[in-house]
Amino acid sequence: MNRFRIVALLLAAAIATRSFAAEPPNIILIMSDDMGFSDLGCYGGEISTPNLDALAAGGLRFTQFYNTARCCPTRASLLTGLYPHQAGVGHMMADWNRPGYRGDLSPQSRTVAEVMRTAGYRTYMTGKWHVTRHLGDGPKHNWPRQRGFDRFYGMISGGGSFYDPYMLCRDNTLVSPFADPDYRPETYYFTDAITDHATRFLSDHAREHADKPFLLYVGYTAAHWPMHALPEDVAKYRGKYDAGYEPVRAARFEKAAKLGLIDPAQKLSPAPHRWADVKNQPREAACMEVYAGMVERMDRGVGRIVAELRRTGRLDNTLIVYLQDNGGCAEGMGRGVTKGRTDGPRAATPTLPPIALGVLPSGLVPPQTRDGFPVRQGPNVMPGPADTYVAYGEGWANVSNTPFREYKHWVHEGGISTPFVVHWPAGFAARGELRRTAGHLIDIAPTLYDVAGAAYPAGAPPLEGRSLRPAFADGPVAREALFWEHEGNRAVRVGPWKLVAKHGGAWELYDIGTDRVEANDLSAAQPDRVREMAARYAAWAARAQVEPWPVVAEKKK
Ligand SMILES: [Ca+2]
């Protein structure tokens, strides 16, 4: 046998082994911010989201996937596979010196990045972090690089201007968006900056680490307030929302039912506002036009990430997951008369001194733009540009959450229900199918460790969720119960049954299988079930470091 033949045989053997050994998939987690169940086209919405729709068509959509109703707790849970209080982030970023409420990821928890690294993965993150109270000059033990990510570009804090983001950071260094030698776009817009860095990390990976799998976590801030969108993105939606909430909600209901995502036998939840009662309808319609533009820009970013995977030959064996961190947001940021802020149109010329490009933004709601225009808030501000800072309001949040009740903060279905799109051509055969098994953020870490063959360290707090991999093949995912607590709003779900209460309110009992809009409270009819589920909730709350709301801060010694 000559040398060439031996080499050829060895090569053939290597190729054969390669094709039979299941290579661990690359993983991309994409999470968007403050969006509702029905915003995406593939979940019933009218907003154009062809790229996420394509992932859904080529993969799976879960119909009953849950988050934890708020930014920080969701991110803490996603990163650790624990309930948020167990990860030290039971509320937001304040430190109340109680184990469940440190405003900082617990040192005992292990992030997905830390664990996936031990399985040979390279780890990248772009976008919103929001799981530490230590911003700016504080200690960085809970910044992305210290919690397992090889590279990071994004926002350490939880929100800010899309044109001049607050606490913007590359790896371990805060940067001004306008004085960053490594990134000089023509127009700075945070959603694009997140996408540009995601694709940059992917192409660098293909060039420098082609032998390793990767984990990429993309935390878009679309479509969290402020309503900031580029004019060309808003233009497409001009006039589209002039008829108000009701027709959009009805159309979404009909489409989501047709897609099989909701049960048409159920009714829409009650609407909080009538369009006819809205005083400034042009401004209100503009809020949704801008929101839609923000979502579409984010979707285009997803398309660019997918294109980069395709270009580098990695699309087939990449597990892509898309979800949202909480339901549509009814917060009133900048919508009413706001002290010290200008309402109404912009002045013809700047009225304040400009801010040097190298200076870091001074806050979540900046007082002015770089070029000297005061940032306007109030009931007459038309949203979109950099010198405005308003939310889209309760009426549209209710539309986003069609057909469910309540919003971000609450643990009724409108607060905690999210689309969950899974795409992994090499991982399962199903295309465009729905999965009706309930799932929760706590399931994501175990799913990743399952598909990657990563070992979760024995000494770390036990994972709370289940691998969803059986559901990819339409099998069952066994579990006893799911739990929620945020600001005293609380819930437990066992099978189709959900026991839920608002802070200070009595338990309500619903059969989610037939009544996911939570219209028909069965608590009076089934007191035994209420008692049994309430006891389960109490046992979980005690185990998971949940404190009664409002949490009383423990004095520091
Ligand atoms: Ca959020």
Side-chain angles (χ1 to χ4, degrees), residues 117-139:
R117 255 185 181 177
T118 67
Y121 279 65
R122 288 274 300 174
T123 53
Y124 308 103
M125 181 182 172
T126 66
K128 168 167 157 177
W129 181 240
H130 213 199
V131 287
T132 180
R133 66 177 188 276
H134 298 296
L135 310 176
D137 297 329

Side-chain angles (χ1 to χ4, degrees), residues 32-35 69-72 75 128 130 158 224 325-327 408:
S32 63
D33 204 351
D34 285 21
M35 286 173 56
R70 196 82 181 273
C71 307
C72 305
R75 282 153 222 275
K128 168 167 157 177
H130 213 199
H224 195 293
D325 73 333
N326 48 249
K408 172 183 180 181

Side-chain angles (χ1 to χ4, degrees), residues 18-37:
R18 191 182 160 86
S19 60
F20 284 108
E23 296 211 6
N26 305 300
I27 288 158
I28 302 185
L29 299 175
I30 303 171
M31 188 155 73
S32 63
D33 204 351
D34 285 21
M35 286 173 56
F37 184 76

Side-chain angles (χ1 to χ4, degrees), residues 151-168:
R151 295 176 76 181
F152 172 71
Y153 175 88
M155 183 186 267
I156 295 294
S157 62
S161 169
F162 283 75
Y163 301 101
D164 198 354
Y166 179 52
M167 293 293 163
L168 185 68

Side-chain angles (χ1 to χ4, degrees), residues 246-288:
E246 294 89 351
V248 184
R249 215 167 164 237
R252 286 185 176 205
F253 183 89
E254 195 180 322
K255 185 173 169 191
K258 208 163 130 192
L259 292 171
L261 293 155
I262 58 173
D263 175 2
Q266 297 180 38
K267 299 269 188 292
L268 273 168
S269 64
H273 305 287
R274 292 179 344 135
W275 186 252
D277 298 334
V278 172
K279 285 202 189 88
N280 188 343
Q281 290 183 346
R283 136 53 185 261
E284 191 71 353
C287 282
M288 194 61 190

Side-chain angles (χ1 to χ4, degrees), residues 470-543:
F472 296 170
D474 216 8
V477 176
R479 82 169 84 237
E480 287 184 10
L482 290 169
F483 301 94
W484 294 262
E485 193 281 339
H486 186 70
E487 298 181 332
N489 304 316
R490 56 209 184 278
V492 48
R493 183 167 164 179
V494 178
W497 295 99
K498 181 176 172 190
L499 193 69
V500 58
K502 291 185 177 182
H503 174 53
W507 286 118
E508 305 157 21
L509 178 69
Y510 300 105
D511 177 357
I512 296 297
T514 59
D515 180 21
R516 206 171 158 203
V517 298
E518 297 163 309
N520 185 20
D521 178 7
L522 300 170
S523 60
Q526 301 196 36
D528 292 348
R529 192 184 298 280
V530 172
R531 242 190 320 277
E532 191 272 329
M533 289 180 73
R536 269 190 197 239
Y537 174 85
W540 168 79
R543 180 172 75 74

